[in-house]
């Protein structure tokens, strides 16, 4: 069965520090992988996606993620965090063999301290 | 392109009442998805449409839930005889798969509170 694990429920970082949010997935076929960000009371905004090809993908707002098939991981990184990055981050895998519904992790809440 | 819109943004209802939510997808997108998100959780898939055809329903979608997309454009999600456990954010997303486009674009959601 498809599943996504985000092991860190909450992370606090200082502004300007680097960030890595972890994501592990379980999926039998070739995964389509996504990271979304959600601000309080809002919908989800796509940060970046991986379908195939280069395993290091660049997204919006200075985020990047690396797909590692051997580790079933798709970790999100940012070299220098801004206070406006405080939000909830969700990793998702798309079910390519069915209707492409997404399976989401439980999210990681990011707090940025000055 | 105005993105995915959902109405209403907030709905408060009493237990036992029926509610209906509307989703307007991005105009050229032929797939439309409904998800439910409870506090502290990620979105969970409910159902999806390819044009007007409802192709899959999650087992989360009880008999009290029904979704339609009559003309392959907007969609409605109705919950009959609401229960307190239905309180959640209901998210709609649309996509146009093919040509390498598999991402889903989400609306702002409808937050339902059942009292």
């Amino acid at each position: 069965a498809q599943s996504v694990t985000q092991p860190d429920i909450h992370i606090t970082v200082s502004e300007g520090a680097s960030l890595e949010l972890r994501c592990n997935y379980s999926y039998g076929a070739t995964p389509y992988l996504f990271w979304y960000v959600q601000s309080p009371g809002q919908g989800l905004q796509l940060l970046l996606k991986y379908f195939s090809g280069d395993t290091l993908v660049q997204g919006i707002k200075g985020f990047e993620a690396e797909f590692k098939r051997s580790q079933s991981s798709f970790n999100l990184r940012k070299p220098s965090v801004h206070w406006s990055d405080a939000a909830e981050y969700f990793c998702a895998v798309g079910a390519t063999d069915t209707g492409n519904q997404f399976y989401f992790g439980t999210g990681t809440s990011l707090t940025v301290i000055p | 392109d105005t993105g995915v819109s959902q109405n209403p943004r907030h709905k408060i209802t009493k237990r036992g009442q029926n509610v209906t939510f509307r989703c307007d997808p991005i105009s050229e997108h032929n797939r439309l998805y409904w998800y439910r998100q409870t506090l502290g959780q990620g979105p969970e898939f409910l159902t999806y449409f390819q044009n007007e055809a409802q192709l899959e329903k999650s087992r989360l979608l009880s008999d009290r839930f029904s979704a339609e997309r009559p003309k392959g454009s907007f969609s409605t999600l109705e919950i009959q005889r609401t229960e307190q456990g239905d309180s959640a954010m209901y998210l709609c997303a649309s996509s146009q798969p093919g040509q390498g486009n598999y991402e889903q674009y989400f609306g702002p959601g409808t937050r339902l509170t059942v009292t």
Side-chain angles (χ1 to χ4, degrees), chain A residues 9 32 34 36 38 40-46 49 51 88 90 94-96 98-107, chain B residues 9 31 33 35 37 40-45 48 56 89 91 95 97 100-109 111:
Chain A
I9 296 173
Y32 295 156
F34 306 84
Y36 284 85
Q38 186 177 37
Q42 302 298 312
L44 285 81
Q45 181 184 20
L46 179 68
K49 60 193 177 186
F51 298 148
E88 190 87 17
F90 292 97
T96 58
T98 56
N100 198 38
Q101 61 267 38
F102 284 5
Y103 295 88
F104 285 86
T106 52
Chain B
R9 293 291 307 277
R31 283 198 181 171
Y33 301 80
Y35 292 84
Q37 184 180 22
Q41 300 296 315
E44 295 174 292
F45 169 74
Y48 91 95
E56 189 163 347
M89 175 80 91
L91 294 165
S95 72
N101 295 322
Y102 298 100
E103 59 263 45
Q104 294 178 18
Y105 296 87
F106 283 80
R111 180 167 296 283

Side-chain angles (χ1 to χ4, degrees), chain B residues 83-113:
Chain B
E83 302 172 357
Q84 287 189 322
D86 297 330
S87 295
M89 175 80 91
Y90 290 84
L91 294 165
C92 175
S94 69
S95 72
Q96 180 70 6
Q99 301 179 349
N101 295 322
Y102 298 100
E103 59 263 45
Q104 294 178 18
Y105 296 87
F106 283 80
T110 294
R111 180 167 296 283
L112 173 66
T113 302

Side-chain angles (χ1 to χ4, degrees), chain B residues 27-64:
Chain B
S27 58
E28 66 269 24
H29 285 185
N30 59 11
R31 283 198 181 171
L32 186 148
Y33 301 80
W34 285 99
Y35 292 84
R36 181 174 69 186
Q37 184 180 22
T38 54
L39 200 62
Q41 300 296 315
E44 295 174 292
F45 169 74
L46 292 178
T47 188
Y48 91 95
F49 293 83
Q50 172 98 8
N51 299 313
E52 66 275 11
Q54 187 174 18
L55 296 186
E56 189 163 347
K57 294 191 288 187
S58 162
R59 52 194 167 90
L60 292 175
L61 210 67
S62 75
D63 292 344
R64 297 184 296 105

